[in-house]
Amino acid sequence: MSPQGRGIAKGDTFRILHVSTGNVCRSPITERLTRHALAHRLGALGLATGDLIVESAGTWGHEGAPMEANAAAVLADFGADATGFTGRELLDEHVIRADLVLTATRDHRAQVISMGHSAGLRTFTLKEFTRLVRAIDPATLPPLDDGMAERARALVRAAAALRGWLLAPSADADEVYDPYGAPITFFRSIGDEINEALDPVVTALTGVTPPR
């Protein structure tokens, strides 16, 4: 991990950007749970996660702010690392560098897309991306031998192609609601939602199912 806690680029890389509002609750939880799951799955194969860089930022990001204490507690529940995190405001450069942008809500998705940079085909809400990924046959994706970044890019292309055909069952189905200021019980329910949404995404990225 880099000194900023933002990942290490090695060779051909794929950059995932998680976006919420303040970058102190939802997106930090999602960033660190993604990293934790990737390390756990790939570590079982003796592989490193350096090809996949996982970051986060906020549309009204609290630049330099620590993660909310309840968010850190949720990460501890999952055995994920909350140390070294500082909030960031979403900038053009973050969107430009990202290969996949996963947002907490549809409003965040719209804000990212409105920034331009051809972001539309690689920006989804987290739950939207999960729904699309579940419909993709993993056998159609490149094997890990072709490189993790290549597999991840193919996954994004496949999800984008399905988006107009596989719609959300309800207006709220693609939303992860903001727990800011809520008690720890609500934070934990949001953490469970995020973890459940990430599970098929990490499986598709790595080709490794979680141990049960």
Side-chain angles (χ1 to χ4, degrees):
M1 190 179 299
S2 70
Q4 292 76 30
R6 297 296 182 184
I8 301 173
K10 295 181 181 178
D12 187 23
T13 58
F14 183 90
R15 191 178 295 264
I16 302 170
L17 176 67
H18 293 294
V19 175
S20 62
T21 303
N23 194 215
V24 292
C25 296
R26 288 168 291 181
S27 50
I29 291 173
T30 315
E31 173 193 320
R32 294 306 176 94
L33 285 181
T34 303
R35 289 195 198 178
H36 178 70
L38 286 171
H40 188 62
R41 309 277 184 96
L42 294 173
L45 298 178
L47 299 174
T49 61
D51 290 348
L52 298 177
I53 301 170
V54 185
E55 306 178 302
S56 64
T59 54
W60 290 88
H62 298 259
E63 188 73 30
M67 187 186 308
E68 281 288 297
N70 282 347
V74 166
L75 290 175
D77 290 342
F78 287 100
D81 184 12
T83 60
F85 182 88
T86 54
R88 301 193 304 177
E89 182 176 356
L90 181 67
L91 302 176
D92 289 272
E93 66 187 68
H94 301 145
V95 177
I96 290 168
R97 293 188 303 173
D99 297 290
L100 171 62
V101 184
L102 296 176
T103 69
T105 69
R106 291 168 296 167
D107 283 346
H108 296 132
R109 181 185 64 194
Q111 289 179 67
V112 171
I113 293 172
S114 74
M115 295 171 72
H117 315 303
S118 303
L121 290 177
R122 50 195 169 90
T123 302
F124 310 79
T125 75
L126 171 62
K127 289 186 175 181
E128 174 192 22
F129 193 66
T130 299
R131 185 176 67 252
L132 298 171
V133 163
R134 287 185 187 276
I136 297 168
D137 182 354
T140 64
L141 299 174
L144 280 185
D145 288 347
D146 290 354
M148 228 175 312
E150 183 60 31
R151 182 182 176 93
R153 292 189 186 100
L155 182 67
V156 173
R157 290 193 297 268
L162 282 174
R163 178 150 45 188
W165 300 94
L166 195 61
L167 302 179
S170 69
D172 294 334
D174 289 340
E175 306 285 292
V176 175
Y177 290 107
D178 192 356
Y180 185 80
I184 186 63
T185 51
F186 188 63
F187 268 84
R188 288 194 167 115
S189 70
I190 293 299
D192 288 340
E193 279 186 39
I194 291 170
N195 189 62
E196 182 178 350
L198 284 173
D199 183 53
V201 174
V202 175
T203 297
L205 285 169
T206 63
V208 182
T209 56
R212 299 300 182 189

